[in-house]
């Protein structure tokens, strides 16, 4: 990142995070999530560290051993539950998509409405230049809402707006990407499921 590059305002960073996918090249990465942040009523049951293959809005989540956990295609998603013979399919036109908790925050682009209110949505100061996994990035501290005790530090890729890390000095990482490889080509078959589904 050039030293003379202007520091983006918080509204500019929000736009980059929400709509920067046009700059995001296909990638394969490994993300680590603190599962203590997951909803107790969610039976996602994914391992703490997963591999993600992503191209645009489509992605595939796998265990590090290659077992498929979730596929989000162009118009359908498939959720693979432990012990189930076939995945559960969701048609994006008919049903609300599955909430993926902290995994979703790491993988998905946030909706602009996510930044309304005061739940880790207001910065305590201007963004600061940093690097993360060798990439130019912006670091911004987000104030906690009144019912939470500590701020979150958000690290955002300076080019793509991808959220690279949510970190609390008090509680550790909500999520963090630990590997990213951008020089990849993903076959269309990664983002569809041809087998049976319910």
């Amino acid at each position: 990142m050039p030293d003379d590059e202007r520091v983006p305002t918080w509204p500019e960073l929000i736009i980059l995070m929400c709509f920067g996918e046009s700059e995001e090249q296909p990638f394969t990465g490994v993300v680590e999530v603190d599962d203590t942040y997951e909803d107790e009523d969610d039976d996602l049951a994914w391992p703490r560290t997963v591999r993600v293959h992503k191209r645009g809005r489509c992605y595939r989540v796998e265990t590090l051993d290659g077992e498929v956990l979730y596929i989000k295609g162009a118009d359908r998603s498939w959720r693979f539950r432990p012990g189930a013979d076939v995945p559960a399919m969701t048609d994006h036109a008919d049903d609300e998509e599955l909430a993926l908790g902290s995994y979703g925050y790491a993988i998905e682009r946030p909706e602009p409405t996510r930044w309304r209110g005061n739940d880790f949505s207001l910065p305590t100061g201007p963004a600061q230049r940093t690097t993360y996994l060798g990439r130019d990035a912006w670091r911004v501290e987000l104030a906690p809402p009144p019912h939470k005790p500590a701020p979150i530090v958000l690290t955002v890729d300076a080019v793509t707006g991808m959220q690279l890390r949510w970190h609390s000095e008090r509680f550790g990482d909500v999520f963090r990407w630990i590997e990213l490889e951008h020089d990849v080509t993903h076959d269309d078959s990664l983002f569809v499921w041809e087998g049976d589904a319910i």
Side-chain angles (χ1 to χ4, degrees):
M1 172 178 324
D3 288 338
D4 61 349
E5 183 172 337
R6 186 179 65 81
V7 175
T9 64
W10 180 235
E12 289 170 333
L13 272 177
I14 289 174
I15 291 168
L16 183 62
M17 285 186 286
C18 296
F19 304 108
E21 273 182 334
S22 62
E23 299 299 323
E24 182 182 281
Q25 299 301 309
F27 71 85
T28 293
V30 175
V31 67
E32 183 177 79
V33 169
D34 181 350
D35 54 10
T36 61
Y37 288 88
E38 296 308 303
D39 294 331
E40 290 180 12
D41 60 348
D42 184 9
D43 61 345
L44 207 54
W46 287 2
R48 190 170 174 193
T49 305
V50 295
R51 179 167 286 109
V52 177
H53 307 278
K54 188 167 188 245
R55 183 180 69 198
R57 294 182 180 269
C58 299
Y59 58 85
R60 178 186 187 104
V61 182
E62 303 173 343
T63 66
L64 298 183
D65 294 331
E67 178 186 351
V68 182
L69 300 170
Y70 188 78
I71 297 172
K72 181 177 180 183
D75 57 0
R76 292 184 178 96
S77 297
W78 296 267
R79 180 179 182 178
F80 298 77
R81 291 199 164 118
D85 293 332
V86 296
M89 185 192 74
T90 299
D91 188 317
H92 297 172
D94 296 337
D95 298 310
E96 188 174 319
E97 293 180 52
L98 176 68
L100 300 179
S102 296
Y103 303 93
Y105 286 124
I107 300 167
E108 297 262 354
R109 291 286 168 160
E111 292 294 326
T113 55
R114 187 276 168 245
W115 305 108
R116 290 183 181 160
N118 66 357
D119 193 2
F120 298 113
S121 59
L122 302 170
T124 61
Q128 300 173 340
R129 291 177 178 88
T130 189
T131 57
Y132 190 84
L133 295 178
R135 298 181 64 83
D136 291 333
W138 296 106
R139 177 188 182 277
V140 63
E141 183 180 81
L142 302 177
H147 63 283
K148 294 183 181 173
I152 289 286
V153 176
L154 170 61
T155 304
V156 179
D157 188 287
V159 174
T160 69
M162 180 179 169
Q163 297 178 83
L164 299 171
R165 184 181 188 198
W166 277 66
H167 176 76
S168 166
E169 294 294 335
R170 185 165 175 185
F171 299 107
D173 291 320
V174 178
F175 71 80
R176 68 184 179 123
W177 288 92
I178 57 176
E179 293 177 21
L180 284 173
E181 181 184 357
H182 284 86
D183 296 325
V184 296
T185 301
H186 292 316
D187 190 82
D188 291 345
S189 64
L190 275 179
F191 309 113
V192 295
W193 178 252
E194 300 293 352
D196 293 335
I198 54 173

